[in-house]
Amino acid sequence: MSSSAPGIRPPELDKSLVSVQGVGPRVYAKLQKLGLETVEDGLYHLPLRYEDRRQLKTISQLTDGCQEIFVATVLASGEITTARSRRRIFEVIVGDNSGKLSLKWFRYRKPWLEKRFPVGQKAVFIGEVKRFGATREVHHPDADLINSDGDLDQLLRNDPLNFGRILPVYPLTEGLSQKQSRKIWFQLINDYAGYATSPLPVSIRRKYRLLDLAEALQQIHWPSNDTNLERLAKGQDRPRHSLVFDEFFFLELGLALKRAGVELEAGIAFKFTHKYTIPLNKLLPFKLTDAQRRVLGEIKRDMMSPQPMHRLLQGDVGSGKTLVALMSALIAIENEAQVAVVAPTEILAEQHYRTFKTWLDQLGLSTCLLQGSMTAAAKRDVVEQIARGEVDLIVGTHAVLQDAVEFKKLGLGIIDEQHRFGVRQRSVLRHKGTNPDILVMTATPIPRTLSMTLYGDLAVSVIDQLPPGRKPVTTRLCGQNRHRQLYPQLRKQLEQGRQIYIVYPLVEESEKSDLQAATVAAETLATEIFPDYRVGLLHGRMKTAEKDAVMDAFRSGELQLLVATTVIEVGVDVPNATVMVIEHADRFGLSQLHQLRGRVGRGAEQSFCFLVPSENYSADAARRLKVMVDTNDGFLVAEADLEIRGPGDFLGTRQAGLPEFRVANLVKDIRILEAARQEAFNYIEQTKMLTTADALPVSQELQRRWGGRLELAAIG
Ligand code: ADP
Ligand code: MG
């Protein structure tokens, strides 16, 4: 083992795993299947769990339900047939001074077992001890035979990798056994763990009692015999803590650096005399909620300050984010700057366009819509108007982000439903002006500690209140018999003059058949089930004009039922629609289900959401559906989602431009994250954004770990 000076990355870490003794081309191919190529990959391939083989136990000391290891002698062996199922089983009765135990095999080669376990044979056995009434059994145990001279000590001495210690249990892949893995990782750790270094500042390391990387890796793979097993099993041991802190520290350092960098740039200090917001307030048929007002205050402060705003506006579906966006837009417009509002789908862009235009028209301001499906001539026209500064507010889809679109003076960029956009697109918007203010809006409520990580360089505002008079949506799970359960309830709503969405999932690989399902359903509903009502069909393959026509007809109440694929998922707002039926509800993710349900419950009437799952669905799907039935609270839904899916999927860390974690777990390790965040932000301040001499190794390591992603992180 050797180690190197801090800050200089030892080339050994980047070596291929083939350089490890015992790893030939064939084993290497298997390791690749686990995603492991370099020595460093291998070092961070951590045990799944551990097995306590520090001591051999006697039979009476064995604990039911535990993986145990013990020495015993064969007392009897042979094939038996179970009385009830007439199944053949091979049984070996073993014993020691303290008691007896039955070993059982259900799949076996009889001659091999007979030869291996003659009466009197002594062996070390490993396996899970199960209790059945008065007897205890081990099924398919591992066994190491002890020779007739009975030298147990020698056996244990000969195999220090598998006995007498706490053993790592690695994630396996086909053709790679646990024993083989242990051998490889023993060698790997021995030869290479020493090269792992991190320039984590010594003062921080001391303060949190962190081990250096080499020692932490060494101990996490091969824990010493005085390790506290309970803490180890819970992942609360010092080696793991040290690795997690290290990962989080560099993550937060990157975020802190970006935040500090943004603050250094000169943005626009908007002046504000309520020129348009007071008139708008007078026009509005309702009062802003307290939450909207508070959030608006935060945005106002940002916009008036000379630094560019980077703010995330979080609020459950229906909480009234659009109005906050409108108010913010008016501040920019009052300062003769333009505003861009970008939405993920054409339907949503059009709806926003409609909303914004309604109010802006009344204030004597101009609005335009820009989207990909417009004719080239129409697009050119709009693009020219934008460039000449003739429009105050531009609503659009990705089309707004194209190179051809240049603003006279972009003052504020608003991105709606930001989780649907990649990081790159946000960055593009930012560069369409000189440090314009940026407001990103999301309805995906992310637990606070997580949003801190994901949007670490964004200030966060939360609308935690719905407009008054909203009744929680009643959610019910329906069976397959729609005629008995579902249709009568729908008819009742239709009779009361309400409108209904019926949503079908669109899964890429079977797009055609799903589309067909929606089409057929619309047909059946229109002709057989509700012939007395009008049914519309909306899906992603329709032309924009057709989609518009259908949406308009639904909005105006001309259509009472709208059968749709998930194109209506985000943002659509038709208050008279009070019923959402979700077909194949098991195929949707939780946040998607919640978004869909958010389409109803927008007026004063009681709304309903009916979930109709496929005939067979998974246990996870059942958990999702139960969460939907149990709660309306987007925050609780998000937490459950996080629990079911795990943080990686939930956050879509790839998309957010964050590095993937090798050890850390955003849910389990939130305390460590908070500490690491604080230290990182302090460190950035102390070292004047990593420009002091002693910060050089840290800065180099940061660059290495984040690579190009530092540019793109969070808002870009
Ligand atoms: P979301 O946050 O999901 O984007 P919207 O901005 O679409 O929500 O608002 C949902 C509905 O609530 C809209 O019809 C909007 O006009 C209405 N709304 C917004 N603010 C208020 C308020 N303060 N009082 C009453 N209704 C409101
Ligand atoms: Mg919205």
Side-chain angles (χ1 to χ4, degrees):
M1 258 216 244
S2 77
S3 59
S4 8
I8 299 161
R9 182 175 168 80
E12 281 80 1
L13 295 177
D14 296 319
K15 275 189 174 172
S16 160
L17 278 168
V18 210
S19 4
V20 178
Q21 203 187 317
V23 179
R26 274 176 50 198
V27 171
Y28 180 66
K30 287 169 195 162
L31 295 177
Q32 274 182 314
K33 274 200 190 136
L34 289 166
L36 310 175
E37 300 198 336
T38 66
V39 161
E40 189 176 45
D41 295 340
L43 293 176
Y44 279 93
H45 183 68
L46 303 187
L48 279 177
R49 55 186 178 85
Y50 300 88
E51 230 172 79
D52 185 6
R53 293 198 189 169
R54 283 175 294 190
Q55 276 179 347
L56 300 180
K57 293 186 177 170
T58 62
I59 288 179
S60 65
Q61 289 170 330
L62 304 180
T63 314
D64 298 344
C66 287
Q67 184 82 16
E68 295 280 29
I69 167 165
F70 55 94
V71 185
T73 307
V74 175
L75 304 176
S77 76
E79 204 166 45
I80 53 169
T81 309
T82 57
R84 229 187 295 156
S85 60
R86 315 281 320 148
R87 217 176 137 187
R88 284 169 189 278
I89 291 173
F90 198 91
E91 184 178 37
V92 175
I93 309 283
V94 296
D96 64 10
N97 294 335
S98 73
K100 285 186 202 170
L101 196 73
S102 151
L103 312 176
K104 282 182 177 168
W105 283 261
F106 301 91
R107 299 172 305 277
Y108 53 90
R109 281 192 297 124
K110 193 173 155 207
W112 191 76
L113 282 182
E114 275 172 347
K115 187 155 172 253
R116 195 162 154 78
F117 298 113
V119 173
Q121 175 68 52
K122 226 173 164 183
V124 178
F125 295 98
I126 302 154
E128 191 188 329
V129 179
K130 298 183 176 165
R131 175 170 289 279
F132 296 92
T135 62
R136 296 206 288 177
E137 300 179 357
V138 177
H139 299 166
H140 293 266
D142 274 344
D144 279 285
L145 303 184
I146 300 171
N147 295 336
S148 49
D149 52 20
D151 194 347
L152 177 62
D153 285 344
Q154 179 154 15
L155 174 86
L156 299 187
R157 264 201 312 277
N158 283 347
D159 198 357
L161 277 187
N162 288 303
F163 295 110
R165 62 197 310 166
I166 300 170
L167 287 183
V169 179
Y170 290 102
L172 296 181
T173 182
E174 196 172 325
L176 195 66
S177 72
Q178 202 55 254
K179 262 191 180 167
Q180 212 179 347
S181 296
R182 280 185 193 131
K183 215 164 151 183
I184 294 168
W185 265 278
F186 187 77
Q187 200 65 47
L188 174 73
I189 297 303
N190 237 355
D191 294 350
Y192 291 102
Y195 291 108
T197 60
S198 163
L200 189 70
V202 176
S203 57
I204 296 176
R205 191 169 292 171
R206 284 219 190 95
K207 181 168 166 189
Y208 294 93
R209 299 184 58 241
L210 306 174
L211 302 173
D212 63 42
L213 279 194
E215 201 180 341
L217 285 167
Q218 161 81 41
Q219 285 194 27
I220 205 163
H221 284 275
W222 295 94
S224 61
N225 275 357
D226 56 8
T227 300
N228 179 331
L229 266 186
E230 206 176 315
R231 297 182 70 90
L232 187 66
K234 286 194 194 145
Q236 292 170 346
D237 51 300
R238 225 170 119 201
R240 185 170 177 282
H241 187 105
S242 307
L243 295 177
V244 170
F245 194 100
D246 191 74
E247 276 201 296
F248 279 152
F249 181 76
F250 282 96
L251 166 78
E252 292 296 337
L253 213 51
L255 294 173
L257 201 59
K258 283 187 63 65
R259 166 104 125 224
V262 165
E263 279 169 3
L264 285 181
E265 288 173 28
I268 311 165
F270 290 108
K271 300 215 169 48
F272 187 43
T273 63
H274 295 282
K275 182 171 172 193
Y276 297 117
T277 44
I278 288 182
L280 176 71
N281 258 318
K282 290 196 183 130
L283 291 170
L284 286 176
F286 46 70
K287 275 211 190 89
L288 294 190
T289 62
D290 289 344
Q292 281 171 319
R293 211 184 324 239
R294 172 173 43 77
V295 161
L296 209 52
E298 290 163 1
I299 293 172
K300 236 178 334 194
R301 219 171 306 132
D302 279 2
M303 290 185 71
M304 293 169 80
S305 93
Q307 282 116 32
M309 169 168 82
H310 278 198
R311 189 168 282 275
L312 172 72
L313 175 56
Q314 214 177 291
D316 208 345
V317 279
S319 61
K321 294 185 291 294
T322 316
L323 189 65
V324 171
L326 172 64
M327 290 279 193
S328 317
L330 292 178
I331 299 175
I333 296 172
E334 178 182 339
N335 286 263
E336 273 149 29
Q338 290 169 299
V339 178
V341 179
V342 186
T345 65
E346 296 214 332
I347 290 200
L348 189 54
E350 271 157 46
Q351 180 182 291
H352 276 326
Y353 172 65
R354 215 176 298 253
T355 311
F356 282 99
K357 188 169 163 43
T358 305
W359 302 112
L360 292 190
D361 277 356
Q362 297 181 65
L363 297 166
L365 302 171
S366 60
T367 317
C368 74
L369 176 67
L370 180 64
Q371 53 189 22
S373 63
M374 288 160 52
T375 64
K379 259 189 272 185
R380 204 174 322 117
D381 197 39
V382 169
V383 167
E384 273 168 22
Q385 286 180 39
I386 297 172
R388 285 199 300 264
E390 287 165 13
V391 271
D392 300 307
L393 185 135
I394 297 91
V395 183
T397 56
H398 293 77
V400 175
L401 304 175
Q402 268 153 17
D403 285 347
V405 183
E406 282 172 32
F407 292 81
K408 177 128 189 270
K409 184 189 176 192
L410 180 65
L412 172 65
I414 299 174
I415 297 178
D416 196 17
E417 308 294 352
Q418 76 83 32
H419 63 284
R420 297 278 297 256
F421 283 95
V423 193
R424 217 169 278 278
Q425 288 139 336
R426 283 177 252 157
S427 165
V428 169
L429 185 61
R430 193 157 92 86
H431 290 100
K432 288 207 174 280
T434 21
N435 291 326
D437 283 349
I438 297 283
L439 181 66
V440 297
M441 308 199 289
T442 181
T444 308
I446 298 166
R448 190 190 65 84
T449 34
L450 291 185
S451 68
M452 189 170 93
T453 320
L454 186 54
Y455 307 112
D457 63 336
L458 295 186
V460 181
S461 290
V462 183
I463 309 186
D464 49 5
Q465 184 184 25
L466 294 179
R470 295 276 171 86
K471 293 202 184 81
V473 180
T474 301
T475 304
R476 292 190 186 134
L477 193 59
C478 297
Q480 285 292 317
N481 189 340
R482 292 173 180 71
H483 286 278
R484 224 183 42 215
Q485 292 195 357
L486 183 61
Y487 297 146
Q489 305 193 69
L490 298 188
R491 181 162 285 278
K492 210 166 125 199
Q493 290 295 309
L494 289 168
E495 278 164 4
Q496 291 173 24
R498 305 279 115 67
Q499 289 165 280
I500 297 175
Y501 296 103
I502 300 176
V503 171
Y504 279 80
L506 203 60
V507 180
E508 254 163 64
E509 55 268 36
S510 58
E511 199 177 333
K512 260 204 191 128
S513 60
D514 282 312
L515 194 52
Q516 205 185 358
T519 315
V520 169
E523 197 55 43
T524 317
L525 287 166
T527 56
E528 291 170 27
I529 301 162
F530 301 113
D532 42 342
Y533 291 98
R534 278 178 306 278
V535 181
L537 176 66
L538 189 69
H539 60 78
R541 291 224 187 143
M542 285 160 62
K543 295 218 177 70
T544 307
E546 291 174 299
K547 273 193 265 186
D548 283 355
V550 173
M551 231 19 243
D552 277 344
F554 189 66
R555 208 175 273 121
S556 69
E558 212 175 291
L559 295 172
Q560 286 87 42
L561 291 107
L562 183 64
V563 177
T565 58
T566 32
V567 285
I568 63 155
E569 179 193 340
V570 281
V572 175
D573 187 26
V574 180
N576 190 49
T578 58
V579 180
M580 169 64 65
V581 178
I582 307 178
E583 291 282 349
H584 296 292
D586 54 299
R587 290 219 236 142
F588 291 92
L590 253 180
S591 65
Q592 230 184 345
L593 289 170
H594 183 65
Q595 278 276 348
L596 284 170
R597 178 169 60 182
R599 298 310 108 220
V600 297
R602 304 191 145 227
E605 308 302 329
Q606 174 63 54
S607 290
F608 297 89
C609 175
F610 298 113
L611 306 171
V612 190
S614 321
E615 258 167 72
N616 294 306
Y617 52 92
S618 69
D620 269 0
R623 285 172 72 192
R624 291 197 292 273
L625 298 176
K626 182 168 178 344
V627 171
M628 286 297 290
V629 172
D630 287 351
T631 183
N632 257 297
D633 182 333
F635 196 84
L636 294 179
V637 171
E639 282 192 335
D641 198 16
L642 180 64
E643 214 182 286
I644 297 172
R645 281 205 281 166
D649 274 352
F650 177 86
L651 293 172
T653 38
R654 272 252 166 75
Q655 161 154 320
L658 293 178
E660 310 256 322
F661 299 112
R662 291 190 289 203
V663 186
N665 174 320
L666 277 176
V667 181
K668 217 159 75 175
D669 301 319
I670 212 77
R671 284 260 169 72
I672 308 178
L673 173 67
E674 278 165 5
R677 176 176 174 86
Q678 196 175 3
E679 295 300 336
F681 275 67
N682 287 345
Y683 192 72
I684 288 290
E685 208 178 301
Q686 278 164 26
T687 58
K688 306 192 171 57
M689 293 183 67
L690 306 184
T691 53
T692 57
D694 57 327
L696 184 65
V698 176
S699 153
Q700 284 169 348
E701 179 68 9
L702 183 69
Q703 207 56 45
R704 195 182 69 73
R705 292 205 200 178
W706 277 67
R709 286 175 302 207
L710 203 48
E711 279 288 296
L712 283 173
I715 180 139

